[in-house]
Amino acid sequence: MSHVFPTYARWNITPEKGEGSWLTATDGQKYLDFTTGIGVLNLGHCNSKVKAAVQKQLDQYWHTSNLFQQPNQEALATKLAETSGLDAAFFCNSGAEANEAAIKLAKKATGRKKIVTCVQSFHGRTFATMGATGQEKVRIGFGPMLDAFEYITFNNEEEVKAAVDENTAAIMFEIVQGEGGINPATESFLKTVQEVAKNVGALIIIDEVQTGIGRTGKPFAFQNFDFQPDIVTCAKGLGNGLPIGAMLGKAELKEHFGAGTHGSTFGGNPISTAAAIAVLDECFQDDFLQEVVAKGELVRSKLKTALSDVQLVNEVRGLGLMIGIDLKVDAGPLVLELQKEQLLVLTSAPHVMRLLPPLTVTIEELDLAIEKISTLLKKVPTPAV
């Protein structure tokens, strides 16, 4: 009997070693890993530069608390600010905590209560972020949510115009909905959001927990557009497996998050920040990001060609190396079938197969995954209408 709460529907795979794009299980099976810990291992398993940075910090000190000056935090905050166009960072341990901080900051800075979010969004599982998440299944069984959230349809310009008013503290959404089906935002939606927020003095919070740190071919996904938010959250890929999250905000918001307003015992831990600095040194290089764009365009093109005559497939979509294959059936059973072919992928919404390869993935590895996916999907019968 396990003494761990059964909060996860675990696969029958026990990892033993990871290297690059590959994960070896205790039974000797070697898998091509296109889950990357749900978009965390952007530099792949056991990246040598991240490992070296962590080892160096381990030999110095592990923890002090945020009562002390933290050189790693200052260095990491500078890199994030200079790249994002924002000005200040608050460090925590996860995406949910980063989003929690963003919600608190938006309400405190504006003095308003309402946050507008999107249907099919995902922002975390704390009480505030669960309320912000536009998926009812996440909230079932937990009683009344915080009453501050109003949900609109993603990419619906008329709904955002109707929902945002003088009581709105912030509009909060993802540039690509990660858990909601790999749905990218449209330029017209982003333009409308910017206009309505400016008109009423609401802030714009962009959740980059899954899309950030190079995943879409830009340091942050919002940078694929002519768009500048007030607050950005990131986590997952920031530490390449070490737990860290960050909330970034404009300079004028700093006065609203002074001493005693928020905190985290482990937030900005020196080991996690050492890892994150090493990650950004790699992921924010122009040539690295250009490769992500090229590989993303290539894999989507090859998938569309390979699956063009497969009636089971509705669409291949995504941005950078964040890819969704929209199917006419639930993707869950097909994910398990691919495991038998030594390929690890995810679902996103019940009917979307989600691919999140490491950003360091090779063309040969992408081709191998495409072959395995297309071979499987061509065998699956199309459901009768």
Side-chain angles (χ1 to χ4, degrees):
M1 180 186 76
S2 172
H3 293 285
V4 177
F5 270 107
T7 47
Y8 306 102
R10 298 186 193 272
W11 294 335
N12 189 28
I13 299 172
T14 304
E16 184 173 60
K17 181 176 175 57
E19 185 175 1
S21 302
W22 297 87
L23 188 68
T24 303
T26 52
D27 62 1
Q29 290 281 10
K30 190 175 181 181
Y31 298 89
L32 180 55
D33 184 4
F34 276 29
T35 71
T36 52
I38 315 183
V40 169
L41 301 167
N42 284 5
L43 295 177
H45 290 279
C46 296
N47 178 271
S48 60
K49 292 182 179 179
V50 177
K51 182 179 178 180
V54 169
Q55 185 62 60
K56 181 180 178 182
Q57 185 61 52
L58 283 169
D59 291 338
Q60 294 176 308
Y61 65 98
W62 298 6
H63 178 78
T64 56
S65 89
N66 283 308
L67 295 174
F68 293 79
Q69 299 295 321
Q70 298 286 352
N72 277 5
Q73 288 187 20
E74 293 293 342
L76 180 57
T78 298
K79 288 178 180 290
L80 289 168
E82 289 177 348
T83 306
S84 67
L86 298 171
D87 301 289
F90 170 83
F91 293 111
C92 50
N93 310 287
S94 68
E97 291 175 64
N99 285 335
E100 187 92 16
I103 291 166
K104 285 183 66 174
L105 177 57
K107 288 188 170 190
K108 192 169 188 297
T110 63
R112 301 175 182 180
K113 295 181 179 180
K114 185 169 75 172
I115 308 281
V116 174
T117 69
C118 293
V119 175
Q120 288 301 111
S121 62
F122 184 84
H123 299 294
R125 294 183 184 272
T126 66
F127 232 82
T129 59
M130 184 168 57
T133 294
Q135 299 188 52
E136 181 62 27
K137 66 180 182 180
V138 172
R139 303 190 293 269
I140 292 173
F142 294 102
M145 294 291 106
L146 299 177
D147 60 1
F149 299 101
E150 182 175 340
Y151 312 108
I152 62 167
T153 304
F154 189 54
N155 282 332
N156 190 307
E157 296 162 46
E158 295 308 312
E159 287 189 23
V160 75
K161 289 177 185 177
V164 177
D165 55 29
E166 286 75 12
N167 297 315
T168 303
I171 310 163
M172 180 178 189
F173 60 97
E174 305 149 271
I175 296 295
V176 182
Q177 291 189 321
E179 305 297 323
I182 311 298
N183 304 309
T186 63
E187 283 196 56
S188 57
F189 177 70
L190 294 175
K191 183 179 179 181
T192 299
V193 166
Q194 201 112 44
E195 289 172 352
V196 297
K198 183 178 180 180
N199 288 341
V200 301
L203 300 175
I204 299 172
I205 302 171
I206 297 299
D207 179 341
E208 294 261 11
V209 170
Q210 192 166 148
T211 57
I213 320 303
R215 174 58 58 181
T216 66
K218 296 287 186 180
F220 298 95
F222 76 82
Q223 293 171 325
N224 287 282
F225 304 90
D226 180 16
F227 187 80
Q228 181 63 56
D230 301 286
I231 298 172
V232 168
T233 60
C234 58
K236 288 189 181 290
L238 182 57
N240 209 67
L242 277 291
I244 185 170
M247 179 201 66
L248 315 176
K250 289 184 175 179
E252 57 265 30
L253 298 174
K254 289 176 72 173
E255 65 179 284
H256 303 287
F257 243 33
T261 55
H262 198 48
S264 169
T265 295
F266 296 108
N269 175 279
I271 297 168
S272 294
T273 48
I277 291 167
V279 167
L280 300 194
D281 284 344
E282 293 295 302
C283 287
F284 284 1
Q285 291 184 39
D286 288 342
D287 56 349
F288 183 93
L289 292 167
Q290 288 167 10
E291 280 194 19
V292 173
V293 172
K295 285 186 281 194
E297 290 175 350
L298 182 66
V299 71
R300 288 194 302 276
S301 174
K302 287 187 173 183
L303 277 170
K304 289 175 182 178
T305 299
L307 302 174
S308 60
D309 59 349
V310 180
Q311 296 300 310
L312 188 71
V313 177
N314 292 319
E315 184 184 17
V316 176
R317 58 178 178 258
L319 197 59
L321 284 171
M322 189 174 185
I323 300 152
I325 304 172
D326 193 332
L327 304 170
K328 292 183 171 68
V329 296
D330 282 355
L334 299 178
V335 166
L336 298 181
E337 286 298 312
L338 283 172
Q339 290 178 8
K340 298 175 184 177
E341 303 301 323
Q342 285 73 56
L343 175 63
L344 304 178
V345 299
L346 298 161
T347 60
S348 172
H351 58 283
V352 177
M353 184 181 290
R354 176 173 32 159
L355 314 182
L356 296 172
L359 307 185
T360 52
V361 67
T362 66
I363 301 301
E364 292 75 18
E365 290 165 343
L366 289 170
D367 286 341
L368 180 58
I370 292 166
E371 179 185 351
K372 291 177 182 291
I373 291 167
S374 60
T375 299
L376 173 65
L377 295 185
K378 287 174 182 177
K379 295 177 182 176
V380 180
T382 304
V385 179

